Amino acid sequence: MPRSVLRFVAVILGLCAVGGFILGVRGAPERARLPGEASGGGAPIQASDAQPLDDLVLTPSELAPEPKKEEEKPAEETEQAPLPVEKAPELKAAPAPKAPTTPPPEEDRVGDLIDGLTPPPEQPPY
C-alpha cells in the first residue's frame, strides 16, 4: 500500500480518537454522584427499610450453636411380630468371558492397505 494512503488512514484514526475523547469530556457530568443520587442535585432517595450496619453485626454469643434437643420417645412402645424373611434365590456364577480370537491370516487386510500406500518422497518439496 502506498505511504500516502497509510498516512491518510492514520490521520483519520487519530482524529476519531481525539474527537471521541473530547465528546466524552463534554458529556461527563460536572460533579460525580453516587448511584441513587438525583442528577439535578436534589435530595437523595430515602430507603424506608434501611438499617444501620451495627444492628446487623452478630456477636460471639449469637454465633454459638444452639444445644441439640433430644427427640421425645413415645410413652408406649408396641412390640410387633418380626416379618418373615424370604430367602433370596441362589445366584449362578456367570460363565467366564471368552478370549478374543485373532482372525486367520487370509482375512487380515490391514497389511494389504499398508502395502498399497505410496511412500513419501525422499526430500520434501520446498
Side-chain angles (χ1 to χ4, degrees):
M1 218 181 263
R3 279 263 197 222
S4 61
V5 174
L6 291 176
R7 286 184 191 151
F8 180 71
V9 171
V11 168
I12 290 176
L13 287 175
L15 289 175
C16 288
V18 171
F21 180 76
I22 291 172
L23 290 175
V25 170
R26 287 186 60 201
E30 295 175 11
R31 183 178 141 291
R33 61 181 192 273
L34 296 173
E37 287 183 334
S39 61
I45 299 172
Q46 296 295 326
S48 60
D49 59 344
Q51 297 176 356
L53 291 177
D54 294 336
D55 296 343
L56 299 176
V57 176
L58 299 176
T59 60
S61 62
E62 294 172 344
L63 293 176
E66 296 180 10
K68 295 182 180 178
K69 296 179 182 178
E70 295 183 16
E71 296 181 14
E72 297 178 12
K73 295 182 179 179
E76 297 179 19
E77 293 184 15
T78 58
E79 291 186 22
Q80 296 180 354
L83 299 174
V85 178
E86 296 181 17
K87 291 185 179 180
E90 293 183 22
L91 299 175
K92 295 181 180 178
K98 296 180 181 179
T101 59
T102 57
E106 60 268 359
E107 291 182 18
D108 185 21
R109 302 191 190 266
V110 175
D112 297 337
L113 293 174
I114 293 175
D115 291 339
L117 294 175
T118 58
E122 293 178 8
Q123 293 183 357
Y126 289 175

